[in-house]
Amino acid sequence: MSDILMPKATAVWLVDNTSLSFEQIADFCGLHPLEVRGIADGDVARDIRGVDPVTGGQLTREELDKAQADENYRMKAIVSRHAELLKSAKPAPKYTPVSRRQDRPDAIAWFVRNHPEVTDAQIAKLLGTTKSTIESVRNRTHWNSANIKPVDPVTLGLVGQLALDEIVKKAADKKAKDDLKNGGGTILPVAEEVEEEPEFVPEARQRPGAEPTAESVFGTKE
């Protein structure tokens, strides 16, 4: 598909103002040669006004002259800055081969059993499935529930280990933050009970009325 802007309007101008073949115009504009022939016959794009690709900055005069001199030459367009801006930045939907689509319910069951913190939206994006399929696997209402067994999606070849680790880590971090925000999930260590030793208090001496003397203890020597 050509990256030029307004391909049909450009084809109208090239048909009316150049000696290019239908194949050359079709290749440059990303159209079918029969569609270009229909433009020349007035059956297609009848109400479209032609747009000059040279003055529009999408084709050089040198390229146009080369193509008119050689019908086998295919013109190369100048990539328009506006065409780049118009391109969708959204990545293409994840495609899963038909031979592996039957493995996705097993991978979903693995997430449901081992990582309930991973959201349905994250699972759907990672495995290329739908939220309704995830819900049916979780509730065991899937048409093939009897044969579904939890299997690691890496083992099934549906995702890479790095991608799996990343999504599990993100989900775990988010859950930890939510638990902390809600005042839960933080378990304080239980203080060990240590039996306190009683404070040593020396016993008070019973002091006799008078200090004992040697004579009173050993007697007098006669």
Side-chain angles (χ1 to χ4, degrees):
M1 183 66 180
S2 175
D3 289 330
I4 67 171
L5 299 175
M6 298 182 289
K8 284 190 177 181
T10 301
V12 169
W13 188 91
L14 292 173
V15 166
D16 293 340
N17 297 278
T18 69
S19 59
L20 297 173
S21 67
F22 296 153
E23 288 75 13
Q24 286 174 306
I25 297 174
D27 181 80
F28 181 75
C29 297
L31 304 175
H32 193 279
L34 292 178
E35 192 171 6
V36 178
R37 181 183 293 275
I39 292 174
D41 294 340
D43 299 329
V44 179
R46 186 177 304 172
D47 299 325
I48 296 178
R49 179 180 297 179
V51 174
D52 184 353
V54 177
T55 58
Q58 300 188 86
L59 179 67
T60 63
R61 175 58 64 179
E62 290 74 16
E63 281 289 296
L64 181 58
D65 291 341
K66 285 182 183 179
Q68 290 188 108
D70 181 6
E71 65 178 9
N72 294 319
Y73 183 79
R74 296 295 181 262
M75 298 182 295
K76 297 178 180 61
I78 299 173
V79 178
S80 170
R81 180 176 64 87
H82 300 290
E84 290 293 327
L85 293 175
L86 289 174
K87 285 184 178 179
S88 175
K90 186 177 181 180
K94 180 179 177 61
Y95 174 76
T96 304
V98 176
S99 59
R100 290 182 177 175
R101 290 179 187 175
Q102 60 185 3
D103 296 332
R104 284 187 295 193
D106 292 343
I108 294 170
W110 183 86
F111 272 109
V112 170
R113 188 182 72 175
N114 297 288
H115 293 285
E117 71 276 9
V118 180
T119 65
D120 289 0
Q122 289 174 314
I123 297 174
K125 183 177 180 181
L126 186 68
L127 301 180
T129 185
T130 63
K131 291 184 179 180
S132 60
T133 300
I134 298 170
E135 193 66 24
S136 66
V137 172
R138 178 182 289 110
N139 298 332
R140 301 192 63 81
T141 57
H142 191 275
W143 65 272
N144 197 31
S145 290
N147 299 317
I148 294 177
K149 297 179 181 179
V151 181
D152 185 342
V154 176
T155 302
L156 294 173
L158 296 174
V159 297
Q161 186 64 55
L162 292 178
L164 177 62
D165 292 344
E166 182 181 1
I167 196 170
V168 169
K169 184 178 183 301
K170 284 183 179 180
D173 291 345
K174 185 177 184 303
K175 183 178 184 301
K177 289 180 180 179
D178 292 342
D179 289 344
L180 186 62
K181 184 178 180 181
N182 296 330
T186 315
I187 302 176
L188 298 177
V190 178
E192 296 183 0
E193 294 184 2
V194 179
E195 185 176 352
E196 296 183 359
E197 295 183 2
E199 182 180 357
F200 174 75
V201 179
E203 295 181 0
R205 290 184 177 181
Q206 297 293 329
R207 186 173 182 179
E211 288 287 341
T213 64
E215 290 78 6
S216 63
V217 176
F218 301 106
T220 58
K221 184 177 181 182
E222 295 180 358

